[in-house]
Amino acid sequence: MRAEAWPTTELREVLAEPIQNGYSPRESQAWTGMQMLGLGCLSVDGFKPLQLKNAPWGISPGHKALLADGDLLVSRANTRQLVGLAGVYRDIGVPCLFPDLMMRIRVKKSYSTSFLELVLRHHDTRRRIMAMAQGTSESMVKLSKREFETLRIPDIPLARQLSILEVIQAVDDQVQGIEAAVVKLESFEEGLLQDTFGSKDPAGVVSELGTVVTGATPPPDWDSSTLEGGIPLFTPSQVRDAEGALSDPERSIASSRARDLRIIPAGSTLAVCIGFGAGKVALSGVESCTNQQINAVIPHQGFDHRFVYLAVRSAMRRAKSLLNLQVTPIINKSDFSQLPVCVPSEGDRKQLVEQIWAVRMKRASLIAEKAKLGNLKAALSSDLLTVA
């Protein structure tokens, strides 16, 4: 459905009424049951009912800044990267105002509000809007309504606007279906883990699953050169509950220093035990070393490395509530080794791992499909909104 190059018109030509700024309260008083949007309600994905706050007392039911379902909002002040974000307001169930940092746009019946939102969120339009914004600081630039009205937009017949929206909506529907499927998979995985680790009293400790090794931070002059290669060094910033195993470190240590390092094999579980990242757990996909903030668990014979990872992650989740109470969160090697874990029979461990990894493979496949649809939507938008 490739479109010809459309002519353009100025935004002011499709306005049904002047662009209006939102409400700027002078003081906060008692709450009347109304809400007011925060600037974070406008995102790169459109309108999101986030950062709502109580509206000041005394707002009349007919206040000019009260929103109606379907109003198009644009941020008129923000950082240069975020100014001009657009989104169509959807009724949140209670009367709602929009703030002075936003503008409301209402268009003629010959132009679709949803189509204008699509145009305003297009990357070419975003570049022009960011260039329009003025300010002495990049952290807060503003759009002039008068200049914003001169923004050139595609002059496309309404019937074709609606046809383009149908194509884009079809892609969005597929994305929403994928997102719902991912949520179900995540819920299913959490249920499996809860059945194994949450419904039973732990009968073992971490040291029964594998050998615990605390890392040591090597000095900078041990780093490998780009030609030499080296041994991957993992730090807390890279440890995350990732779908796959960690394999791409920020630093590598020279192989000639191997004797001075505490090398851990691929398949070891890495647990951050010191600092504000304490509680994070991940798998290492390569032979590596870590700094002193990380304890590694090298699985004993008879324990699948994936089960060890799941068991340690569960143990650290339970320990994290205690960590959050500390000024400087820390679990020393001895305490970490004695963290309680559930150790089912070998058959049950095998079944759990197979189920969890089947779920994760399916989820990874869906996430990859979602990314492809995102690229397709971007390509369609660029194609269908081509202007002269």
Side-chain angles (χ1 to χ4, degrees):
M1 187 177 173
R2 185 175 180 82
E4 64 268 27
W6 299 106
T8 63
T9 187
E10 288 189 349
L11 176 61
R12 71 179 74 197
E13 296 300 319
V14 303
L15 296 178
E17 59 184 52
I19 294 176
Q20 179 189 337
N21 287 353
Y23 177 62
S24 180
R26 291 189 173 88
E27 58 184 9
S28 294
Q29 302 177 36
W31 181 43
T32 60
M34 294 185 182
Q35 296 279 291
M36 188 160 70
L37 302 182
L39 196 55
C41 291
L42 295 180
S43 73
V44 293
D45 297 317
F47 173 75
K48 302 286 184 183
L50 305 172
Q51 297 185 350
L52 300 174
K53 52 188 177 182
N54 296 338
W57 178 83
I59 304 299
S60 65
H63 194 281
K64 64 180 182 179
L66 278 171
L67 288 161
D69 188 67
D71 280 347
L72 178 59
L73 298 171
V74 176
S75 62
R76 72 178 191 91
N78 210 322
T79 66
R80 190 169 298 279
Q81 293 301 315
L82 298 179
V83 73
L85 291 178
V88 175
Y89 170 75
R90 296 306 177 196
D91 189 5
I92 63 171
V94 295
C96 191
L97 304 166
F98 69 104
D100 186 50
L101 293 179
M102 295 181 187
M103 300 182 288
R104 174 166 56 196
I105 301 174
R106 288 174 173 164
V107 296
K108 297 176 181 177
K109 293 182 179 180
S110 60
Y111 213 92
S112 162
T113 298
S114 294
F115 185 76
L116 181 56
E117 177 195 22
L118 180 66
V119 171
L120 293 177
R121 288 168 55 187
H122 189 266
H123 57 84
D124 285 340
T125 312
R126 291 285 306 133
R127 280 199 295 269
R128 283 179 277 147
I129 289 174
M130 288 188 285
M132 280 183 178
Q134 301 294 322
T136 57
S137 170
E138 291 295 294
S139 63
M140 183 56 75
V141 295
K142 294 183 178 180
L143 283 175
S144 158
K145 283 192 294 185
R146 182 173 298 179
E147 187 170 3
F148 185 62
E149 288 176 350
T150 67
L151 184 70
R152 301 202 69 84
I153 59 175
D155 187 10
I156 301 177
L158 181 60
R160 179 53 73 90
Q161 293 178 37
L162 299 180
S163 177
I164 291 173
L165 286 173
E166 283 184 13
V167 174
I168 300 300
Q169 186 60 52
V171 178
D172 285 340
D173 289 345
Q174 292 184 63
V175 169
Q176 291 174 10
I178 288 174
E179 290 174 342
V182 168
V183 169
K184 287 183 178 180
L185 288 172
E186 289 173 343
S187 178
F188 180 64
E189 176 180 325
E190 193 59 35
L192 290 173
L193 294 171
Q194 183 66 21
D195 288 344
T196 300
F197 299 113
S199 60
K200 305 171 185 175
D201 291 329
V205 295
V206 167
S207 60
E208 294 175 13
L209 303 178
T211 302
V212 177
V213 177
T214 302
T217 303
D221 59 3
W222 287 15
D223 286 14
S224 66
S225 67
T226 55
L227 296 177
E228 182 187 2
I231 301 165
L233 170 71
F234 291 119
T235 60
S237 64
Q238 295 171 276
V239 175
R240 60 196 183 281
D241 195 15
E243 295 302 305
L246 304 182
S247 60
D248 188 19
E250 296 173 354
R251 286 178 62 190
S252 291
I253 307 304
S255 300
S256 59
R257 290 289 183 178
R259 292 183 179 180
D260 303 310
L261 300 171
R262 297 168 186 173
I263 305 295
I264 56 174
S268 297
T269 291
L270 310 182
V272 181
C273 292
I274 302 177
F276 293 105
K280 297 191 297 180
V281 179
L283 268 174
S284 173
V286 294
E287 184 178 73
S288 61
C289 59
T290 73
N291 71 4
Q292 81 279 5
Q293 293 173 270
I294 295 174
N295 281 317
V297 183
I298 304 171
H300 289 324
Q301 187 173 2
F303 283 100
D304 187 306
H305 65 281
R306 295 170 295 178
F307 173 79
V308 173
Y309 157 71
L310 294 174
V312 172
R313 190 180 70 156
S314 175
M316 288 294 281
R317 280 184 174 182
R318 289 193 296 270
K320 198 168 183 181
S321 60
L322 297 176
L323 285 169
N324 291 338
L325 299 176
Q326 301 179 23
V327 176
T328 302
I330 182 170
I331 300 178
N332 61 39
K333 179 180 178 181
S334 176
D335 290 339
F336 174 76
S337 300
Q338 294 303 307
L339 286 179
V341 293
C342 292
V343 187
S345 67
E346 184 175 356
D348 287 344
R349 299 198 302 265
K350 181 179 179 181
Q351 182 180 22
L352 175 68
V353 166
E354 288 176 350
Q355 289 178 314
I356 293 293
W357 256 256
V359 168
R360 290 189 167 201
M361 287 180 64
K362 177 61 176 176
R363 186 166 61 209
S365 175
L366 288 173
I367 291 172
E369 186 178 347
K370 178 184 173 181
K372 289 180 181 178
L373 286 171
N375 292 334
L376 174 61
K377 180 179 177 178
L380 284 172
S381 297
S382 293
D383 187 13
L384 297 173
L385 299 180
T386 298
V387 296

